[in-house]
Amino acid sequence: MQKKKNHIHSSEEELVSLLREGDESAFSAIYERYWQVLYNSAFKRLSNRQLSTDVVQEVFCDLWTRRHTLEIRNLTTYLFHAVKYQVYKTARKDKSALHFFEKFDHLCSAPKTDTLVLEKELFHRFQVWQATLPASRRRIFEMRYEEDMPVSEIARVLGISPKTVQNQLSLLHVDLKTKMLSLFLLFLLTSL
């Protein structure tokens, strides 16, 4: 009987390469490493244990089924995007998950022209702000808010301490809040 290899300390790149070759122990290592954080991400959106479990299982089934053809540059990013996509599909199919979309209903109700102008300007300013961030800080921002990764996972992927990640996120919050608040106040004053 052949003993399975332990890939607990393997890098993402090594795991993806071994997965592509059909290495079941690499797949198990990926599953063990990511299952909980992916479940937490799904549960945060669906607030349903069974649906969240189903979403994560679907992501891993798809990963194994398509292992030979997937082009994965960043495993963590790929898995978090796959969870978001599965959450969206689940929420669309399952009526009990409709609360996922409730917060968007309010935003989609016919806004005033002033509000549309403000939203467009705020979004533009946000994009400019994000583009001017130093590369490392921008990457932390993207991992946290676009990929929905927890601080501990960001720290692990980037090879820095969780405290450093938290400090960078705090600086990002203060900077963004200051920039957006000044624009919002300017908009209010000009619309009076």
Side-chain angles (χ1 to χ4, degrees), residues 32 50 70 74-75 104 137-138 141 151 164 179 185 187:
E32 291 297 319
Q50 186 58 52
L70 288 174
N74 182 311
L75 181 61
F104 298 110
R137 194 173 290 175
R138 184 179 330 117
F141 181 86
V151 169
T164 300
K179 299 266 187 327
L185 290 174
F187 181 79

Side-chain angles (χ1 to χ4, degrees), residues 125-142:
R125 292 288 175 104
F126 170 76
Q127 288 178 314
V128 169
W129 171 81
Q130 192 175 11
T132 61
L133 291 173
S136 59
R137 194 173 290 175
R138 184 179 330 117
R139 183 67 186 127
I140 290 171
F141 181 86
E142 290 167 351

Side-chain angles (χ1 to χ4, degrees), residues 66-111:
R66 298 175 48 214
R67 67 191 176 278
H68 298 298
T69 58
L70 288 174
E71 291 296 324
I72 301 174
R73 293 187 186 144
N74 182 311
L75 181 61
T76 303
T77 301
Y78 172 82
L79 291 171
F80 276 98
H81 281 290
V83 165
K84 284 183 179 182
Y85 175 72
Q86 285 299 329
V87 163
Y88 178 77
K89 278 178 53 178
T90 299
R92 281 287 183 213
K93 283 191 286 187
D94 190 314
K95 300 296 183 204
S96 67
L98 284 178
H99 70 278
F100 177 74
F101 293 101
E102 287 174 1
K103 62 183 172 185
F104 298 110
D105 288 342
H106 175 69
L107 294 174
C108 294
S109 58

Side-chain angles (χ1 to χ4, degrees), residues 109-153:
S109 58
K112 296 179 185 175
T113 304
D114 289 350
T115 306
L116 288 174
V117 170
L118 176 61
E119 285 175 6
K120 187 176 179 179
E121 184 63 22
L122 282 173
F123 184 70
H124 173 71
R125 292 288 175 104
F126 170 76
Q127 288 178 314
V128 169
W129 171 81
Q130 192 175 11
T132 61
L133 291 173
S136 59
R137 194 173 290 175
R138 184 179 330 117
R139 183 67 186 127
I140 290 171
F141 181 86
E142 290 167 351
M143 292 171 87
R144 181 70 184 112
Y145 296 106
E146 293 175 14
E147 299 168 25
D148 201 28
M149 293 173 62
V151 169
S152 58
E153 186 66 13

Side-chain angles (χ1 to χ4, degrees), residues 5-30 33 63-64 67-68 75:
K5 266 186 143 178
N6 182 349
H7 294 292
I8 195 161
H9 299 295
S10 297
S11 71
E12 283 188 359
E13 293 80 17
E14 292 169 325
L15 289 173
V16 169
S17 178
L18 292 167
L19 174 70
R20 201 171 283 124
E21 296 169 9
D23 187 322
E24 290 180 21
S25 60
F27 177 77
S28 294
I30 293 168
R33 188 178 291 182
L63 179 66
W64 180 254
R67 67 191 176 278
H68 298 298
L75 181 61

Side-chain angles (χ1 to χ4, degrees), residues 151-187:
V151 169
S152 58
E153 186 66 13
I154 296 169
R156 188 189 67 73
V157 169
L158 296 179
I160 57 179
S161 74
K163 185 68 176 163
T164 300
V165 174
Q166 289 172 335
N167 288 343
Q168 291 298 313
L169 288 171
S170 293
L171 291 170
L172 286 164
H173 287 153
V174 169
D175 188 40
L176 180 60
K177 192 184 293 186
T178 303
K179 299 266 187 327
M180 293 297 130
L181 183 59
S182 63
L183 176 64
F184 183 70
L185 290 174
L186 177 65
F187 181 79

